[in-house]
Amino acid sequence: QVQLVESGGGLVQAGGSLRLSCAASGSSFSFNTMGWFRQAPGKQRELVATITRTRNTNYADSVKGRFTISRDYAKNTIDLQMNSLKPEDTAVYYCNAGVLTMSTWRHYWGQGTQVTVSS
């Protein structure tokens, strides 16, 4: 059974940095994509950043130039380096992993980690 475990959330002042990590276990396959989503209170979950098996990255416009996603393919982990954090970055951050099999996507989610940015 696939499990995604996030770590690294916390409380930081505006302008500060945090690094989130996500470790995947229980899979015998390589994920096509891995990434981070976030959900703020009263808002829908939104994409933050993703990285594919071929190292292509995609970022939300709101985090471009501030966040960097990286992936260790051997360890099946991803990190999200978050710099110049803003209060609007406050949310629960979820790790996601996707596998494409026979034209069908399967997505797995972590339990989420809270990031709070104070002004």
Side-chain angles (χ1 to χ4, degrees), residues 13-59:
Q13 287 189 330
S17 299
L18 281 175
R19 188 176 184 89
L20 304 183
S21 296
C22 173
S25 63
S27 67
S28 59
F29 43 80
S30 176
F31 298 109
N32 293 87
T33 67
M34 295 187 75
W36 294 93
F37 289 69
R38 67 186 181 187
Q39 188 167 17
K43 294 188 176 181
Q44 288 188 329
R45 190 172 297 188
E46 62 176 5
L47 179 148
V48 177
T50 59
I51 184 167
T52 69
R53 186 185 292 169
T54 53
R55 294 180 170 80
N56 291 321
T57 58
N58 182 43
Y59 294 92

Side-chain angles (χ1 to χ4, degrees), residues 83-116:
N83 299 327
S84 302
L85 282 161
K86 304 175 181 180
E88 51 263 44
D89 294 318
T90 295
V92 178
Y93 283 69
Y94 296 91
C95 179
N96 170 271
V99 178
L100 180 61
T101 306
M102 302 286 285
S103 301
T104 299
W105 278 97
R106 283 185 295 165
H107 285 275
Y108 302 91
W109 295 92
Q111 80 284 355
T113 185
Q114 177 70 48
V115 171
T116 302

